[in-house]
Structure formats: structure tokens, C-alpha cells
Amino acid sequence: MGHTTLALFLAAAILVGLFEDSDRERLRGPFHPDRFRLASAVQIAAVIMLGPWWAALVAAVGTVAAGLFHGIDARKVFFDGLAYSGAACVAGLVFELAGGDVGRVQLLDDLVPLVGLALAYLTVRALLLDVVRARENFDPRLVSSAGEAGLGATIALLAIGHPWNVVVLVPLAIAVHQSQLRMRSLQRETLRALETFANIVDERDPSTYRHSFRVAGYVDALARALRLPFSDIDRLRWAGRLHDLGKVAVDASLLRKRGDLDGAEWAAMRRHPRLSARLLQRFEFVAPQAHAVELHHERVDGQGYYGVGGDDLPLASHFLIVADSFDAMTTDRPYRKGLSHEAALMEIENHAGTQFHPAVAKAFVAVQRGLDPATVLMPEELQEIRRASAPYRIHLVGVGELKERPELLALGGVAVGLAGLGFGQTWLTVAGGALALAGIGLRAVVQVRAGRVAAALHRALGTNDERVQVFHRVVAAMSSAWHQSWAGLVAWDEDGLGGSLDAQAGMDGPGPSALTSWLVREAESGREAIVAPGAELGVDGLAVALPLRRDNSALVGFLAFVAPKLPPRHVELALLESLDELGLALAVNPELDGGRSERAEPLETVADASDFALVRFDER
């Protein structure tokens, strides 16, 4: 190791830390913490070029210098320095154990040591910084982490020739960092716009002024007392802040009405949770909260707005339900006087298990009384709540999926073949060529099979039968190519908040509330096919819905399926190719008695005002 190389890496680590402040403060927004760190790339390169011990020094010096420059608390700075230096040291030891040579990198020969180095560094960093210090779920953030490891290896390859070669990467590194800053700024501006929207909703009625602020505060206090991960606390707080966005479409006179609401007025009122969810679903970084927001007027016993209860309610919705109800109970409204703080808590205790989740209700009451919820919850109740916090899931592409995506196989084969030519490895070139030919052949087979399914669909749609009969013909035409356990033809209302099930085939379909909930949130996503795990709709397998549109692009219905797995590639291509034809053949004809079949079933019944007498202090 030369002194010049060590000095350059120390300088690079310090300079990168000075202008990269990604860890200076925790963003209190519902953002996914998937940040590309240039400092990590420099540290990985130092591991390769300098070995574990000197790389640990580089990581520690760069982290501490940056932290002190940005004025971060000294204890946090030194913990971060130990964490990064520990990650670099462990990664260096793994690199050497896997057969890597310090100061030398040769691709293919050193591929296994490089992969081991990257996995060790990223794992130790995530455990120490995310799990231990930040109290988050374990999340290695594979996409950004792979980029950090790749850039680190590139820096090392350039530095092997001459340390000053790495200067050519400086403009690229700055551009990447600036793009991240612009993206984060855009997210903040969008969130501020949504927050302004929530303020407008709160201010429409004096009795609900700052309602969403208070609900967000109750949810935040409860989540913190339960020691949930900070990212979950942020998501829950913002769900509370934005939960009533849909009230912008509710007539303000209903909010201020002193007497009871009649059936039609309740029907208008109960639209707002789904409108809120529909708005949130449009924004990727708040979309995960949409489902909980939609269900914030539900009850554990299933007697809420949409009849969803029990295990079908996610944890976040239980937080919103109790916080929203508590604020409603303690606030004066035109139609009743508010309760005292203690009387409202007693109401929550009395309705735990019917209106409120028992454990969440007990925890909420304890927090409002200044107690630690751990003192009133059984250990299994506390674990139930903490386990419900969304775990990190890794989705890997399997062999079956590659078979259904032959174009990926072909492109991958071409890339492997070119890599073989570049490295002078004949066997790799031959293997890449074989993969490319296999992908091209599979692609041709898929196209032929897709043509056959499309022809069968065309024959089914070309009849002059009524739309319900055409629907059954379509399902029959597809059944031989793709097994479905249930299929349904949904006619969609003009307001986009519900519809009717005009026809169905098969057994064990999703419940009306679950089906409507899913379609309302996803109807305006713009995707040609909407997919959800069956568990979200209370069924096994997967749910798939194809939007049906008229020739004027108006959404008029859905062709929905429940199946053990996604449709094969050739069925998917045939359905997408026939989508316009499906929409015209299966759409409701408004000139023929509303176009509804006599067997049409409303996906939801309009609730009578008496239904809501059960929710004594539920907020309008």
C-alpha cells in the first residue's frame, strides 16, 4: 500500500462526507429510505485497495469528520464512525477469506470475493445503523446498495492503474448526488401540497379545525410509546394527517348539520374515506397508507362504513380508528357536545373488542393517561402489534418467471456473450449465445400461443349475445390456457366509488367490500392490468382486474379474476391485445335500461342511518 493511495482515499472520504449529508437528519416523511451513499462506495473501494484495517481507518475518519462538520451530536458521530469502520473491516476480512487480493481486482476471477465483500459490508451496516441505532426493521436496500458496491468496485479498478484516475468519476458522483437531492425536494414539495390540502379540509368547518393535526399527534404518540420503528411512526403519523382528504367532496352543510343525517346524507358522508384513499393512491410515497386511510371508519365487529372488520383490518387502520374517534368524542360538534378527556377514554375502554382493536385500545388509553403501554398489555399483545409492522420483503425472479419473460433471457444471453468476448472466455461466449437463442425461441413460442388465445377471445367476443353471456364465453375461452378459481364482471359507477357485480363464474370470490375497496384505490392507476395478493381481498392466490373502457376512454367496468398465479405470458399478451375489444363488448350499454343485468348485485348496500347509531361518537 502506498502512502499516496491512503492519503487520496482519506481525502476522498472527508470531501464526500462534507457535501453528502444524507444521514445528517432523519426525514420525518413517509419516504422509503433508499438513498445512494457515495461515502459507502468510497469505503468499499478502500477495502479493495487498502485492506480491512486501513479501510476501517478511512471509513472512521470520513464519517467522524463529516459528522463534526455538520454539527451532529458527538455520541451519534462516534457510533456512526464505529459502525462504518466495523462494516469496512468485516467486509475486508470476508474479501480476503473468499480469495481476494488487496490492491488487485480482476473481474470474473474475483467475482466471488467482490460479492462477499459487498454482502458483508451492507449487512453489517444495515444491522448497526438501521436496526441498532435507528431502531428500524432490517432493510439492506438492495437496489441502491448494489449501485454503491458497483461504484466502489469501479473506483478500485481505476485506482489500480493510478490513484488519480478516480478523478474522472467525480462529475458522475456529483450528478448522482444532485439528482437525489432534486428527487427528495420534489417529494417534500408534493407532501407539503397534500398537507395544505388537508388544512383546507380541516378549515371548512370550525368544529373540525386542526382535526387532522390532533389525530396525527395521537397516532404519533401511540406509535412512539409502543417503540415501533421510526419509519412506521412516520407513515402512521402522515396517514393521520391526510386521512380526511376525501371530505373536500362532501357538502360542508352535512358537516355542520345539527340533526341526524338521513340515509342519503350518510351515503354521501361515507364516501369520503374511499375518496381519501383514491387520492393517496396517486402518490407512490404515500400510497402504502391508502388502505389504512380508507378503513379509518371501520369497526372490529364489522359494523363500520364498509363492513370490514376483524383480521381484514390492517394495524395502521386500528391506530387511525381509535385516534379519530377519540378526537371526535372530545371535540364539540354542531350535532352534540364533546366529552371530557376521561369520559372519552372510558368510552374507548367500554367498546374495546367491538369498535376498537382490544390491544390498540388498551395501549391508547394508557398513553393518554401517561402510562407506558407495556405495563397494561400482555407480552403476546405487545408482540402482536410490533410484528404487524411491515417486514422487509425481497422478491427474486425465479426460473418460472424467466420462462414467461423470454425477452429477458435473450437480452441476458447477449450480455453474457459480449462479456465472454470482452474477457476472452470462449465458454462464456458460447453459453451466452445459447441463452440468447433459447430466449428467441421461447419468444416465438409465446407469440404463437398468444395468437391462439387472442383468436379464441375474438370468437367469443364476436357473438351477438348479451354481455353477460359474452362474459361467460370469454371465461370459457381462457380457462384452458389459464386456470382461474373465480371471475367477475363488474359494472362501474360514474363517480368511480363503487359498482355492481353483473356476472360471476366460479366459487370463493372476494367479498363485495374487499373487491370495491381494491378497485376504488386502483381504478385510476392507469395500468392496463391491476394485480393484488389474494390476501388483500380475503381469497387465496392472486387477484387480477382488467379495466373496461368505452371508445371514449371512459372507465365503465372491470373484468376481474382470482387465480392461483398470474396468467402465463401468452395469456397476458392476448388479453392486453384484446383489451379494447373486451371493453366495447362487455361495457354497460346506457341505452338499454341502464345496461344492467337482472342478476346484477350491488357491490355494497347503502347504509341506513340506523346502522351508524352503533358508532355512537364516530366522527362524520
Side-chain angles (χ1 to χ4, degrees), residues 466-519:
E466 294 182 357
R467 54 191 291 272
V468 171
Q469 294 174 315
V470 173
F471 160 75
H472 287 288
R473 288 181 180 274
V474 168
V475 173
M478 293 175 52
S479 60
S480 59
W482 176 38
H483 172 67
Q484 317 110 37
S485 57
W486 178 87
L489 177 61
V490 178
W492 206 234
D493 295 340
E494 290 184 6
D495 63 5
L497 296 177
S500 64
L501 185 62
D502 284 8
Q504 58 181 320
M507 304 294 291
D508 300 325
S513 293
L515 182 59
T516 304
S517 170
W518 173 49
L519 295 178

Side-chain angles (χ1 to χ4, degrees), residues 589-614:
N589 187 344
E591 298 178 357
L592 298 177
D593 194 25
R596 298 294 173 89
S597 165
E598 292 181 358
R599 289 180 292 176
E601 301 175 15
L603 287 180
E604 290 192 274
T605 56
V606 178
D608 185 83
S610 61
D611 294 338
F612 297 93
L614 294 168

Side-chain angles (χ1 to χ4, degrees), residues 233-545:
I233 295 172
D234 292 337
R235 293 186 183 100
L236 287 166
R237 183 180 62 256
W238 278 100
R241 188 71 179 88
L242 305 174
H243 75 284
D244 268 347
L245 288 182
K247 277 189 176 178
V248 73
V250 177
D251 192 332
S253 64
L254 299 184
L255 302 176
R256 295 192 294 267
K257 185 175 179 180
R258 293 185 177 276
D260 294 336
L261 301 183
D262 60 28
E265 290 169 333
W266 267 121
M269 180 63 68
R270 66 200 290 267
R271 289 156 43 99
H272 84 266
R274 283 196 169 145
L275 283 170
S276 299
R278 189 172 173 181
L279 286 169
L280 294 184
Q281 196 71 31
R282 302 286 190 92
F283 302 94
E284 182 180 355
F285 57 93
V286 290
Q289 287 76 253
H291 195 206
V293 164
E294 178 192 7
L295 301 176
H296 77 270
H297 277 292
E298 299 309 298
R299 295 166 51 107
V300 173
D301 59 10
Q303 297 296 317
Y305 275 22
Y306 308 132
V308 181
D311 295 336
D312 294 330
L313 293 172
L315 174 72
S317 66
H318 291 300
F319 280 65
L320 295 178
I321 290 167
V322 69
D324 187 63
S325 297
F326 179 75
D327 188 68
M329 285 189 278
T330 55
T331 306
D332 289 337
R333 296 296 169 87
Y335 47 90
R336 55 142 177 86
K337 293 289 291 181
L339 297 177
S340 66
H341 185 275
E342 187 59 31
L345 293 180
M346 292 179 63
E347 283 286 334
I348 292 175
E349 289 177 322
N350 292 337
H351 291 86
T354 55
Q355 183 170 350
F356 308 108
H357 186 288
V360 173
K362 283 198 291 186
F364 182 87
V365 170
V367 171
Q368 291 303 312
R369 288 174 174 164
L371 303 175
D372 185 343
T375 62
V376 300
L377 293 177
M378 300 290 290
E380 55 270 20
E381 291 177 321
L382 199 57
Q383 287 301 315
E384 176 191 359
I385 293 176
R386 289 175 179 169
R387 277 199 305 267
S389 135
Y392 181 75
R393 293 180 177 87
I394 301 176
H395 175 71
L396 300 178
V397 177
V399 176
E401 291 183 65
L402 288 177
K403 184 182 69 174
E404 297 297 335
R405 297 292 187 272
E407 61 275 9
L408 297 180
L409 195 61
L411 290 174
V414 170
V416 171
L418 291 175
L421 288 174
F423 291 115
Q425 301 290 330
T426 304
W427 68 271
L428 195 60
T429 304
V430 173
L435 286 175
L437 290 175
I440 293 171
L442 285 174
R443 176 68 177 176
V445 172
V446 166
Q447 291 290 351
V448 171
R449 298 179 70 188
R452 292 174 180 171
V453 176
L457 288 173
H458 180 74
R459 288 193 296 271
L461 296 171
T463 64
N464 294 321
D465 295 332
E466 294 182 357
R467 54 191 291 272
V468 171
Q469 294 174 315
V470 173
F471 160 75
H472 287 288
R473 288 181 180 274
V474 168
V475 173
M478 293 175 52
S479 60
S480 59
W482 176 38
H483 172 67
Q484 317 110 37
S485 57
W486 178 87
L489 177 61
V490 178
W492 206 234
D493 295 340
E494 290 184 6
D495 63 5
L497 296 177
S500 64
L501 185 62
D502 284 8
Q504 58 181 320
M507 304 294 291
D508 300 325
S513 293
L515 182 59
T516 304
S517 170
W518 173 49
L519 295 178
V520 165
R521 293 197 310 274
E522 300 288 352
E524 302 299 331
S525 64
R527 292 194 292 270
E528 293 179 315
I530 304 169
V531 180
E536 185 176 324
L537 281 76
V539 294
D540 296 329
L542 293 166
V544 180

Side-chain angles (χ1 to χ4, degrees), residues 6-92:
L6 175 61
L8 286 174
F9 271 103
L10 285 170
I14 293 172
L15 290 174
V16 167
L18 294 183
F19 82 88
E20 184 179 51
D21 57 349
S22 59
D23 287 334
R24 184 172 59 179
E25 61 176 338
R26 183 177 63 85
L27 293 172
R28 293 177 58 79
F31 307 120
H32 298 291
D34 197 10
R35 190 78 180 268
F36 184 92
R37 295 188 177 100
L38 293 175
S40 293
V42 172
Q43 292 168 19
I44 289 173
V47 169
I48 298 171
M49 293 298 300
L50 304 174
W53 310 111
W54 290 111
L57 175 64
V58 169
V61 170
T63 304
V64 172
L68 295 177
F69 175 81
H70 290 301
I72 303 175
D73 179 73
R75 289 176 298 179
K76 179 179 179 298
V77 169
F78 287 110
F79 181 88
D80 288 356
L82 289 173
Y84 277 110
S85 62
C89 184
V90 172

